[in-house]
Each structure stands twice: as C-alpha cells, then as structure tokens.
Amino acid sequence: MTTTTKTADATTAPTAGEAVLDARGVTMRFGGLTAVRDVNLTVNSGEIVGLIGPNGAGKTTFFNCLTGLYVPTEGEVRYKGTVLPPTSYKVTDAGIARTFQNIRLFHNMTVLENVLVGRHTRMKQGLWSALLRLPGFKKAEAEATERAMELLEFIGLQDKAQHLAKNLPYGEQRKLEIARALASDPGLILLDEPTAGMNPQETRAAEELIFAIRDMGIAVLVIEHDMRFIFNLCDRVAVLVQGQKLIEGDSQTVQSDERVIAAYLGEPVAESTPEVEAPAEEAPAKDAPSKDAPAEEDAPSDEDAPSEEDAPSDEDTASEEDADEAPAEDAPEAADAPESSEDTPHDPASGKENDA
C-alpha cells in the first residue's frame, strides 16, 4: 500500500477536543428484544475510537442507529452539535460515512466507478444537467474523477482504476470500500470490521491506512474483533456487552478490567473450576470411611449393633427366667452329682443308676 503524505499535509488539522459524534441514550428495540440499551458515546475530531464486544453484543446495530439505517427507539445522535436526520443518505450528506461488515461493492463496475458512486453526494448538478451534459455537469464530473483518482492513489489502487471490482483480491476490496466512503468527504468514518478475513500483512496495511485517515483530520470509529489490532490502533476503546456499554477508556484500562475478561472468556470461568475439581476432592472423602474405620469401631455407631444383642431382649429375658428357674429345680441334683462322683469315681454304672 502506498499512502501519500501530501494528502495529509494538505489538510488542516482539526480543533483538538471538538466533539464530532455525540450519541446520547441510544436504545434500539425489536419487539420485546432490546438490542442496544442506553448507550452513550462521544468521538472527538482527530480521534480513533474502538468499539468491541462479543458476538451479538449490538455493535453493528449501534452503527446502524448512528448512520440512519435504524431509527433509535430512544435517544439521539448528534453530529457536530446537530441532531442527525433518521435517513441514511441525509446522514451521509451531513458528513458521516461507513463501511460494512460484509463487503458491499458494485462488483460489475470498475474500481474508479465504485469510488465515483460515493462522490455523488457532493455533486450538486440536477437531473437535466446530467441528461443534457451541460458544461456545469461536465466540470463537476471531471472534478469528481480527479478526486476519485486521488483516493485510489491514497489507498494504492491507482493502477487498477479500470479493473472490475470483483477481480480484486479480498484485501484490496476492503480498501476500495474505504476509498468509496472517503469519497463523500466525511468528518467521521465508521469502519465495521475492516480487517475481517485479512492475513497479518493486510491487517498491518489496514492499520497504516487508518492512521493516515486520522492524519487527514477525519475521526474514526471502528468495530473489530482483533484485539491486538484494536488496542494498537485506538485512542479510546468502548466495550458493549448484551447491548449495554460496560466500560470505556484507554487500552490498558480496558484490557485489565475483569468484567471485560469475563465477557470474552465467560462469566463462570472462576466458578466452574471448583465444579470440575469437585469429584477429585470428593473422591478422598469416599475413601475416608475406610481410613476412619477404626475410629468408627471405637465410637458407638450403628456398627455397634451387637451391643443390642448383648442388651437384654425379650428372648434373652425369657431364657434368663428359665435359667433362674432351672437351677432352682436341678440344684439338688447338681449338688448330688459331685458327691456321687466322689463316692463312686470308678463306677460309672452306679452313676447311671443313681441318675435313674
């Protein structure tokens, strides 16, 4: 890419700190779904602001509200202090241009013609002037062509001005879309994922191009998922999560915010760790009874149920009663038994006779 410095040098530097875009309380609802909720964002002249967030956070919807494709349900959008009309072509005429997440070129038109399409908002000639090819229209057309060639030289595609847009490589189609947006001489350009699908070399070229656009005095608001790209590029970064602005600040502040990390990596990261480790922690607990078995044997637990056997039950009580009665009846015989054994120790028959 060849970005010419003369374009940047010829442009007067904007007033520092002047608010170019001021979005206040922007809310967008689709039936019962709130895609954007009460978002405030300011972009100053000569500033590059990044807008990041997970997929489905409402970034592109917010862009559509800024550029008139959607009419916000609540809130207002001001450009240089003036409330923007809710019509896309009037927003472009006011001074805001944009690119899209998906490339939207006129593929069967040449590279030059695509840039001229973006220039038509600055051409003031009417229909009859164009149909009759009046001198005023011819002059305006020559000026538009000259400006378009300057922009093609700015992005490095001047040698492919007569090529069909569909024949350009992907990275050059992205740059052509930016050139078409610049053709309307905007004070603010909105870039929706300008490096999507690019390789590292093309991403670096896009970064240099955006810096060159900023040097021309044009404020930039960019959506991107490449965090390295966005943090190297932007002066400030705002984070959208579920349609709400979570935080806004410089790159270091945003990168170190725990809420941003949780939004990208997932809220349950810290909480899920104990759940994963829980089985490992519970496993020793299951083995614990075997280790603690001696303690349980010593302690009076359910395993000491034999103590109930030792305890007098109904059957044992009955046996004890019988046992108490039996000695009473057999006591004389028990007493005689030893005497007989003493008197006739060698005559077992006599013992039998005595027993009989």
Side-chain angles (χ1 to χ4, degrees):
M1 182 190 68
T2 58
T3 53
T4 56
T5 56
K6 65 178 182 180
T7 305
D9 295 340
T11 306
T12 58
T15 305
E18 179 185 357
V20 176
L21 176 70
D22 186 13
R24 303 177 183 177
V26 175
T27 299
M28 187 67 206
R29 296 189 182 94
F30 299 96
L33 174 66
T34 303
V36 178
R37 185 189 301 274
D38 194 26
V39 176
N40 300 314
L41 186 67
T42 302
V43 180
N44 299 321
S45 58
E47 188 178 33
I48 302 175
V49 177
L51 187 63
I52 65 173
N55 289 329
K59 303 181 296 297
T60 299
T61 302
F62 181 64
F63 260 31
N64 291 338
C65 292
L66 298 180
T67 55
L69 292 178
Y70 294 158
V71 179
T73 308
E74 298 176 10
E76 63 179 14
V77 181
R78 293 176 176 270
Y79 175 72
K80 294 184 177 179
T82 303
V83 177
L84 289 173
T87 311
S88 58
Y89 72 89
K90 291 183 178 180
V91 171
T92 303
D93 188 58
I96 297 179
R98 71 167 294 179
T99 63
F100 293 87
Q101 183 176 351
N102 298 319
I103 296 176
R104 297 187 182 181
L105 296 173
F106 298 99
H107 294 287
N108 292 320
M109 295 172 63
T110 66
V111 171
L112 177 61
E113 288 170 343
N114 269 274
V115 180
L116 287 172
V117 168
R119 189 65 185 171
H120 79 281
T121 57
R122 298 294 176 248
M123 298 177 66
K124 303 304 180 183
Q125 281 66 34
L127 175 63
W128 289 108
S129 179
L131 291 176
L132 299 175
R133 308 291 296 178
L134 299 179
F137 177 80
K138 291 182 179 180
K139 180 180 179 182
E141 190 176 40
E143 292 175 352
T145 302
E146 181 181 0
R147 176 58 179 162
M149 288 303 300
E150 289 178 358
L151 291 172
L152 289 178
E153 184 179 0
F154 177 69
I155 64 172
L157 293 180
Q158 68 276 13
D159 295 334
K160 298 182 178 182
Q162 300 305 322
H163 291 199
L164 292 179
K166 64 181 180 181
N167 294 332
L168 294 178
Y170 180 81
E172 291 183 351
Q173 289 187 23
R174 284 283 183 186
K175 292 195 291 184
L176 176 58
E177 195 172 36
I178 293 175
R180 184 179 63 184
L182 293 174
S184 63
D185 292 336
L188 171 67
I189 185 170
L190 281 62
L191 306 177
D192 194 348
E193 298 190 26
T195 65
M198 289 187 178
N199 59 41
Q201 291 75 18
E202 292 171 336
T203 299
R204 179 58 185 169
E207 183 179 347
E208 294 177 355
L209 177 60
I210 295 172
F211 279 130
I213 293 172
R214 190 268 309 273
D215 293 339
M216 293 170 60
I218 301 173
V220 180
L221 179 60
V222 55
I223 292 175
E224 189 53 68
H225 286 289
D226 187 340
M227 295 298 101
R228 179 178 297 179
F229 170 81
I230 208 77
F231 289 135
N232 290 338
L233 179 72
C234 298
D235 302 309
R236 287 187 293 117
V237 178
V239 183
L240 281 186
V241 177
Q242 296 181 353
Q244 295 178 298
K245 189 172 77 171
L246 184 65
I247 188 175
E248 180 180 351
D250 57 23
S251 300
Q252 186 62 34
T253 301
V254 172
Q255 289 183 75
S256 60
D257 192 278
E258 295 181 357
R259 296 171 298 173
V260 177
I261 298 173
Y264 274 93
L265 300 182
E267 192 76 32
V269 170
E271 300 175 4
S272 63
T273 304
E275 295 178 4
V276 174
E277 295 179 354
E281 294 177 357
E282 292 175 0
K286 295 178 181 179
D287 299 333
S290 61
K291 296 179 181 179
D292 299 334
E296 294 180 357
E297 292 176 358
D298 297 337
S301 62
D302 296 339
E303 296 180 356
D304 292 335
S307 62
E308 297 178 358
E309 298 177 359
D310 299 337
S313 61
D314 295 338
E315 298 177 357
D316 294 340
T317 304
S319 62
E320 288 177 0
E321 292 177 356
D322 295 340
D324 292 342
E325 295 175 358
E329 297 175 356
D330 299 341
E333 296 179 3
D336 295 339
E339 293 177 357
S340 63
S341 62
E342 290 177 357
D343 296 341
T344 59
H346 300 290
D347 190 4
S350 60
K352 293 179 181 178
E353 292 175 358
N354 293 334
D355 293 337

